[in-house]
Amino acid sequence: MDIFHSLSKRILFFSLLLLHLLYAARADFNIATIPFNKGYYPLFGDNNVVRSSDDKSVNLVLNQYTGSGFKSSDLYNHGFFSAKIKLPSDYTAGIVVAFYTSNGDIFEKTHDELDFEFLGNIRGKRWRFQTNVYGNGSTSRGREERYYLWFDPSREFHRYSILWTSNNIIFYIDDVPIREIVRSDAMGGDFPSKPMSLYATIWDASNWATSGGKYKVNYKYAPFVAKFTDLALDGCAIDPIQDVLSTSCSKKDDQLESANYATITPKQRSAMKKFRQKYMYYSYCYDIIRYPIAPPECVIDPVERHQFKDTGRLNFGARRHRHDKIKVQVSSMRTYEDQQDED
């Protein structure tokens, strides 16, 4: 009993330490929000796009008839895209809630895209999500990373943000950076470069979203509601009819790159490293079966590399060896990972 008590205290200590690092890195971003009708319009499932009376919030609903979504009114040549989101609760297997930028409706074969995708949840399990980056239609060179959330995203609102400049891309959760891609010449067109719109959607992805399609959407729990509020768009709006190479956005680009969310502070970088070490369970950079030579933007950390299999998936055997003193926690994580390893 004493050993178990000591082990539990250590697990609690390390969990609290990680949360402290994550929240200590938070920055007070200066974000101006806008009402829905000033920057967005319903994309599909109009009756399932439910706006608040003050037009500052919007709910996206999925039922047995349709999902729903909204889209920004303009395309943006770089920008900061952000919203506070509360995901559906209870049993949400097979459901995908996405918050992303894209220009696929204009550049069908050479589109760019930056994604947050939340992959549904089985009651009692941790929520999983992925980020992805496509440039110039490089769907065969998707840059997926998958993670667990350190909180229940259905209990309260959390802010999710995407920064896209000509030099870098940063994904944020609650002002904590979780991923950064720095542009390099070697990436070429794989770095998104054409104007994009912002999208938010909820839809039935039973064939793949949760454990590779093992768990489907159960409409007994419908309607499923994803809530969005404090919507923010900060970028240079572009007329799609104009030349996409226009230099008219240079001033706005400079403003974006000088904003406090465009630079990761040492504390934030430490928090990002802790997040990725603890919660990332797939990285394309370590998937040598898919990419025998890592894509040029990947920075390979030998210690981190040891944690992943050749498939890019987390190697729990290596993690167990490194953390011998918390075998109980790792064992439970292994059981959970086995259940999720089909996707």
Side-chain angles (χ1 to χ4, degrees):
M1 182 64 70
D2 290 341
I3 294 176
F4 180 79
H5 181 68
S6 176
L7 180 62
S8 298
K9 288 176 66 178
R10 289 177 182 176
I11 293 173
L12 178 60
F13 170 78
F14 285 117
S15 297
L16 291 174
L17 177 61
L18 176 64
L19 288 174
H20 171 75
L21 287 169
L22 287 169
Y23 285 99
R26 294 184 62 149
D28 294 326
F29 293 164
N30 183 19
I31 300 174
T33 61
I34 59 174
F36 185 87
N37 67 347
K38 294 296 184 181
Y40 312 89
Y41 65 89
L43 179 64
F44 69 100
D46 290 16
N47 291 335
N48 283 0
V49 180
V50 183
R51 294 153 62 173
S52 64
S53 57
D54 61 7
D55 215 32
K56 293 181 179 180
S57 301
V58 59
N59 292 348
L60 294 183
V61 179
L62 168 67
N63 56 28
Q64 60 267 43
Y65 304 108
T66 183
S68 55
F70 65 83
K71 178 184 178 182
S72 64
S73 305
D74 295 308
L75 288 93
Y76 292 86
N77 186 31
H78 307 131
F80 182 75
F81 311 94
S82 183
K84 288 184 177 178
I85 306 172
K86 185 178 180 182
L87 296 179
S89 59
D90 212 342
Y91 183 93
T92 56
I95 294 170
V96 167
V97 176
F99 183 73
Y100 65 104
T101 65
S102 179
N103 49 35
D105 55 343
I106 297 176
F107 305 99
E108 293 183 7
K109 296 182 179 180
T110 59
H111 87 286
D112 306 291
E113 192 169 315
L114 303 171
D115 298 324
F116 269 112
E117 288 185 316
F118 302 93
L119 304 177
N121 184 47
I122 305 167
R123 188 189 297 111
K125 302 296 184 181
R126 288 180 293 174
W127 272 83
R128 297 170 304 120
F129 72 103
Q130 68 181 19
T131 61
N132 208 340
V133 175
Y134 296 116
N136 203 34
S138 59
T139 53
S140 64
R141 298 187 298 281
R143 290 163 159 81
E144 303 100 323
E145 290 185 349
R146 290 192 172 188
Y147 331 80
Y148 301 112
L149 283 168
W150 68 89
F151 54 83
D152 181 349
S154 68
R155 296 188 65 180
E156 57 187 10
F157 284 94
H158 290 267
R159 181 170 289 283
Y160 304 89
S161 307
I162 302 170
L163 171 73
W164 169 47
T165 76
S166 59
N167 297 315
N168 67 339
I169 296 162
I170 305 175
F171 293 86
Y172 285 97
I173 296 180
D174 285 340
D175 307 336
V176 175
I178 63 164
R179 180 181 185 183
E180 180 185 31
I181 290 181
V182 178
R183 183 175 193 165
S184 69
D185 291 340
M187 287 187 71
D190 280 5
F191 190 91
S193 59
K194 298 184 292 296
M196 291 190 278
S197 300
L198 175 71
Y199 295 79
T201 57
I202 184 171
W203 50 289
D204 185 330
S206 290
N207 62 328
W208 69 273
T210 308
S211 295
K214 181 179 179 180
Y215 299 98
K216 315 292 185 183
V217 175
N218 187 340
Y219 285 102
K220 177 180 73 174
Y221 299 99
F224 305 99
V225 181
K227 300 180 178 182
F228 295 76
T229 191
D230 289 354
L231 300 164
L233 288 173
D234 186 12
C236 183
I238 289 290
D239 185 338
I241 299 176
Q242 295 178 345
D243 183 355
V244 298
L245 298 179
S246 171
T247 60
S248 62
C249 287
S250 58
K251 183 177 180 179
K252 189 61 182 178
D253 284 351
D254 290 341
Q255 292 175 354
L256 277 174
E257 292 177 15
S258 63
N260 57 353
Y261 44 70
T263 301
I264 300 177
T265 68
K267 285 186 177 181
Q268 287 177 311
R269 195 162 295 281
S270 176
M272 180 168 66
K273 183 176 182 180
K274 294 292 184 182
F275 168 83
R276 295 171 67 80
Q277 287 178 342
K278 188 171 179 65
Y279 294 109
M280 184 170 68
Y281 69 88
Y282 172 80
S283 171
Y284 73 102
C285 286
Y286 299 111
D287 190 342
I288 65 174
I289 293 177
R290 186 177 178 188
Y291 300 114
I293 299 176
E297 73 279 1
C298 290
V299 178
I300 304 301
D301 182 329
V303 175
E304 195 174 75
R305 173 69 185 91
H306 183 64
Q307 296 179 359
F308 290 86
K309 305 174 186 177
D310 290 347
T311 58
R313 291 187 172 276
L314 198 62
N315 182 350
F316 279 89
R319 176 166 286 187
R320 185 179 67 239
H321 180 72
R322 292 180 63 232
H323 300 286
D324 238 8
K325 297 182 180 180
I326 53 174
K327 290 182 179 179
V328 173
Q329 183 188 40
V330 172
S331 177
S332 66
M333 290 174 69
R334 175 193 286 274
T335 300
Y336 178 72
E337 177 66 16
D338 288 344
Q339 294 173 349
Q340 302 296 321
D341 202 41
E342 298 175 32
D343 59 337

